[in-house]
Amino acid sequence: MAAFNTEQTTDMTQTFSAHFYPEGFADSQTVTVLLDASGWLSFQAFDKKYRCPFNRVTVSDRLGRSPRFLTLPELGRLETRDNDFVDRALRHFGHQGERTLWLPKLERAPLWILGLLIVVVVTGWATYRHGIPAMARVTAPLVPDKVRELAGHEALGWMERGWLTPTTLSEERQQELRQAFDRHFGNQLTGLNVRVLFYNSEVFGANAFALPDGTLVFTDQFVELVNETEFLAVAAHEIGHVQHDHGIRGIISSSALVAATLLITGDSEALSEIIVTAPYALAQLSYSRDMEREADTAAMELMQAAGLDRQAFASALQKMMDSHGANEEGSRAWEEYLSSHPATDERIKRFE
């Protein structure tokens, strides 16, 4: 790259160095361009003379010290690093390229940059906190039941391969709990394809969760920890997740966030990873605090309709918290669980 030096001759007549790329050719040549007082560019390249009025030239935006491109209609393009000269020419002769002059001014205005940064951060937070959840709430009902079934099946398969093992509960105990579930909630589950499954899990410990297809999973450790009424209270909470489609909404929200991040960073090819890792992501999905409060409200309504003492949910939650705090590893897992849930004390007080 040749040096780009500007030489001033008389009045507004100036010369500057540039690389010239003829229209339709890949080769370039270093040239000295003359801009005369009448506003005409002229130079010689490839044994040919070129002339073009400056007000017909399209000038690229100024970005730091990057070279500028001056596009000459039907002739070719000039590349120069003499940004100051180009700015002076734009100011003097004035045409559509003059609009680009705000960019170098902005670069020298830290308050503007700080303001724009704040706007970007606030907009991103608002999109994450409100925009994406609102979008998920609207689009979730449009998801076909087949997709829900597939999502639930794949997520359960992931967990069975690493986190869940066959239940150790007797058939009689399982049947007893399913019958109690149907007796209290059967008439309130119209339109929901809910089923109750039991698994043993040293990883999850005493826990329960709902999958997008309506599957409710209860661990043996949880069943052994609570009485029947407390079991039904937590079951009502998990039904609330199913009623409000929290599983699908969570998938949509997390996928939209990942897709937006990948597109912003320019790694659009990695969007395929969303599809590949979706079952694993669903298996690890934790609901937002708003979703948990929504499920708690649904549980209160279901328990009231079923004639259950809602304080049973508070006692079950307290037992689960105590159980997970029994050892350091369990305590750490429970803290991760609580990080996306409303404060335990707050939830307990709601049900007392």
Side-chain angles (χ1 to χ4, degrees):
M1 181 75 71
F4 297 96
N5 299 315
T6 302
E7 300 176 3
Q8 185 167 343
T9 56
T10 60
D11 297 329
M12 285 305 301
T13 301
Q14 299 187 40
T15 61
F16 63 96
S17 295
H19 283 303
F20 176 62
Y21 298 84
E23 185 78 18
F25 292 90
D27 292 338
S28 66
Q29 191 173 91
T30 301
V31 299
T32 298
V33 184
L34 172 70
L35 176 59
D36 61 33
S38 61
W40 280 79
L41 288 171
S42 59
F43 57 93
Q44 185 169 334
F46 300 102
D47 299 324
K48 183 178 179 181
K49 292 183 178 181
Y50 294 86
R51 276 176 59 83
C52 179
F54 186 72
N55 60 12
R56 291 191 60 200
V57 175
T58 301
V59 183
S60 66
D61 291 339
R62 178 170 183 170
L63 296 174
R65 297 182 180 180
S66 300
R68 302 282 281 280
F69 295 98
L70 286 68
T71 302
L72 287 56
E74 301 178 1
L75 298 180
R77 187 173 65 171
L78 293 168
E79 178 188 275
T80 180
R81 291 186 179 275
D82 201 333
N83 291 315
D84 292 338
F85 165 73
V86 174
D87 289 344
R88 287 196 302 270
L90 287 171
R91 284 192 294 267
H92 182 79
F93 294 104
H95 60 70
Q96 69 272 21
E98 198 169 349
R99 63 182 173 79
T100 66
L101 295 181
W102 66 272
L103 285 171
K105 293 179 181 178
L106 182 60
E107 290 177 341
R108 296 189 293 270
L111 290 180
W112 274 99
I113 296 175
L114 178 61
L116 289 174
L117 178 62
I118 292 174
V119 169
V120 170
V121 171
V122 171
T123 301
W125 179 86
T127 301
Y128 167 76
R129 183 66 180 83
H130 301 289
I132 291 179
M135 178 271 294
R137 183 186 293 272
V138 172
T139 57
L142 305 178
V143 175
D145 290 339
K146 287 293 184 182
V147 175
R148 288 180 172 80
E149 293 174 8
L150 178 61
H153 176 76
E154 291 296 324
L156 186 59
W158 268 96
M159 288 184 281
E160 286 177 334
R161 286 191 286 272
W163 303 331
L164 301 177
T165 58
T167 182
T168 59
L169 298 177
S170 66
E171 287 293 337
E172 291 76 13
R173 180 58 172 157
Q174 294 180 57
Q175 188 64 20
E176 177 184 320
L177 292 173
R178 288 193 179 99
Q179 288 176 349
F181 180 91
D182 292 337
R183 187 168 60 253
H184 287 86
F185 303 127
N187 295 331
Q188 305 178 57
L189 302 181
T190 304
L192 297 179
N193 184 26
V194 175
R195 62 172 181 159
V196 175
L197 297 180
F198 300 97
Y199 284 90
N200 184 60
S201 178
E202 296 297 331
V203 176
F204 289 141
N207 220 323
F209 48 89
L211 298 179
D213 61 349
T215 298
L216 307 185
V217 176
F218 301 90
T219 66
D220 295 353
Q221 290 79 359
F222 168 73
V223 172
E224 294 167 358
L225 185 68
V226 299
N227 59 40
E228 183 177 288
T229 305
E230 292 168 339
F231 168 83
L232 293 172
V234 173
H237 171 85
E238 300 306 329
I239 292 172
H241 284 309
V242 177
Q243 286 179 328
H244 292 285
D245 226 356
H246 289 163
I248 291 297
R249 283 165 55 184
I251 294 173
I252 293 173
S253 295
S254 59
S255 299
L257 183 60
V258 172
T261 301
L262 293 176
L263 289 174
I264 290 172
T265 58
D267 191 13
S268 58
E269 293 183 0
L271 288 173
S272 59
E273 295 181 8
I274 297 176
I275 299 173
V276 176
T277 61
Y280 179 73
L282 176 59
Q284 290 189 315
L285 183 66
S286 60
Y287 296 118
S288 71
R289 289 173 177 257
D290 290 340
M291 289 182 182
E292 289 298 333
R293 292 190 181 96
E294 201 169 37
D296 283 351
T297 300
M300 294 178 71
E301 295 172 354
L302 284 167
M303 294 176 69
Q304 183 176 0
L308 296 170
D309 182 0
R310 68 183 192 182
Q311 191 172 2
F313 183 80
S315 61
L317 194 60
Q318 186 65 56
K319 287 181 178 180
M320 293 169 70
M321 185 177 66
D322 293 342
S323 171
H324 284 272
N327 57 69
E328 184 178 349
E329 183 178 353
S331 179
R332 200 158 42 240
W334 189 244
E335 287 174 2
E336 292 176 3
Y337 172 83
L338 291 177
S339 66
S340 64
H341 287 57
T344 307
D345 291 342
E346 172 191 331
R347 301 178 70 193
I348 290 176
K349 288 179 180 178
R350 284 192 69 189
F351 283 83
E352 288 181 340

